[in-house]
Amino acid sequence: MSDRAQLKRHAILVDRMASTRGIDLQDKALAGEVSIDDISEAVLNCTQCSNPANCSRWLDQRSLSAISPEYCQNSRLFDTLAAKDR
Protein backbone atom coordinates (compact mmCIF):
# COMPACT_ATOMS: atom_id res chain seq x y z
CA MET A 1 0.00 0.00 0.00
CA SER A 2 1.40 3.42 -0.89
CA ASP A 3 2.08 5.95 1.85
CA ARG A 4 -0.68 8.16 0.52
CA ALA A 5 -3.19 5.30 0.47
CA GLN A 6 -2.17 4.26 3.97
CA LEU A 7 -2.60 7.80 5.31
CA LYS A 8 -5.99 8.09 3.62
CA ARG A 9 -7.11 4.75 5.07
CA HIS A 10 -6.10 5.79 8.58
CA ALA A 11 -7.59 9.28 8.22
CA ILE A 12 -10.89 7.57 7.43
CA LEU A 13 -10.51 5.27 10.46
CA VAL A 14 -9.76 8.24 12.75
CA ASP A 15 -12.80 10.11 11.48
CA ARG A 16 -15.02 7.03 11.79
CA MET A 17 -13.78 6.33 15.33
CA ALA A 18 -14.40 9.93 16.35
CA SER A 19 -17.90 9.82 14.84
CA THR A 20 -18.62 6.53 16.58
CA ARG A 21 -17.58 8.19 19.84
CA GLY A 22 -20.01 11.04 19.07
CA ILE A 23 -17.21 13.47 18.23
CA ASP A 24 -17.29 15.73 15.17
CA LEU A 25 -13.62 16.53 14.54
CA GLN A 26 -14.46 19.39 12.18
CA ASP A 27 -16.68 21.05 14.80
CA LYS A 28 -14.02 20.48 17.47
CA ALA A 29 -11.38 22.08 15.24
CA LEU A 30 -13.60 25.07 14.48
CA ALA A 31 -14.27 25.49 18.21
CA GLY A 32 -10.53 25.41 18.91
CA GLU A 33 -10.78 22.25 21.01
CA VAL A 34 -8.42 20.33 18.72
CA SER A 35 -5.88 21.61 16.24
CA ILE A 36 -5.28 20.40 12.71
CA ASP A 37 -1.85 19.28 13.93
CA ASP A 38 -3.55 17.20 16.65
CA ILE A 39 -5.75 15.55 14.04
CA SER A 40 -2.75 14.92 11.79
CA GLU A 41 -0.92 13.38 14.75
CA ALA A 42 -3.95 11.17 15.43
CA VAL A 43 -3.79 9.88 11.85
CA LEU A 44 -0.07 9.15 12.25
CA ASN A 45 -0.77 7.40 15.57
CA CYS A 46 -3.42 5.34 13.83
CA THR A 47 -0.86 4.14 11.28
CA GLN A 48 0.90 2.45 14.21
CA CYS A 49 -2.13 0.21 14.80
CA SER A 50 -1.23 -3.43 14.37
CA ASN A 51 -4.68 -4.42 13.11
CA PRO A 52 -6.59 -1.73 11.20
CA ALA A 53 -8.81 -4.36 9.57
CA ASN A 54 -10.09 -5.34 13.03
CA CYS A 55 -10.72 -1.68 13.80
CA SER A 56 -12.73 -1.32 10.61
CA ARG A 57 -14.83 -4.37 11.52
CA TRP A 58 -15.34 -3.00 15.07
CA LEU A 59 -16.56 0.29 13.59
CA ASP A 60 -18.86 -1.52 11.15
CA GLN A 61 -20.62 -3.15 14.12
CA ARG A 62 -21.35 0.08 15.99
CA SER A 63 -23.22 3.30 15.38
CA LEU A 64 -22.24 4.93 18.70
CA SER A 65 -19.93 3.88 21.49
CA ALA A 66 -18.86 5.57 24.72
CA ILE A 67 -15.42 3.99 24.51
CA SER A 68 -12.87 3.07 21.88
CA PRO A 69 -11.49 -0.46 21.68
CA GLU A 70 -8.53 -1.10 24.00
CA TYR A 71 -6.07 -1.19 21.11
CA CYS A 72 -7.03 2.25 19.72
CA GLN A 73 -3.94 4.44 19.45
CA ASN A 74 -6.07 7.56 19.95
CA SER A 75 -8.28 6.58 22.88
CA ARG A 76 -6.84 9.30 25.10
CA LEU A 77 -7.54 12.03 22.52
CA PHE A 78 -11.09 10.80 21.97
CA ASP A 79 -11.68 10.53 25.74
CA THR A 80 -10.47 14.13 26.20
CA LEU A 81 -12.65 15.47 23.39
CA ALA A 82 -15.71 13.53 24.56
CA ALA A 83 -15.25 14.82 28.13
CA LYS A 84 -15.49 18.41 26.86
CA ASP A 85 -19.08 17.71 25.81
CA ARG A 86 -20.19 16.65 29.27
Side-chain angles (χ1 to χ4, degrees):
M1 181 179 299
S2 73
D3 289 343
R4 181 180 172 105
Q6 181 182 18
L7 287 174
K8 184 175 180 177
R9 176 184 190 190
H10 288 277
I12 291 168
L13 288 173
V14 167
D15 190 56
R16 287 183 65 202
M17 184 65 72
S19 294
T20 298
R21 293 286 311 269
I23 300 163
D24 185 318
L25 288 175
Q26 184 176 3
D27 285 350
K28 294 290 187 181
L30 291 172
E33 295 179 29
V34 65
S35 71
I36 298 303
D37 287 343
D38 292 335
I39 295 170
S40 296
E41 189 67 28
V43 172
L44 292 176
N45 288 342
C46 186
T47 66
Q48 301 304 306
C49 180
S50 62
N51 198 350
N54 190 50
C55 181
S56 187
R57 283 189 299 276
W58 186 91
L59 289 164
D60 288 344
Q61 296 172 359
R62 286 157 183 78
S63 58
L64 286 175
S65 177
I67 59 169
S68 302
E70 67 280 352
Y71 52 81
C72 181
Q73 301 292 313
N74 293 301
S75 290
R76 187 175 304 153
L77 172 66
F78 296 137
D79 290 347
T80 299
L81 292 173
K84 292 181 179 186
D85 290 337
R86 293 182 195 147

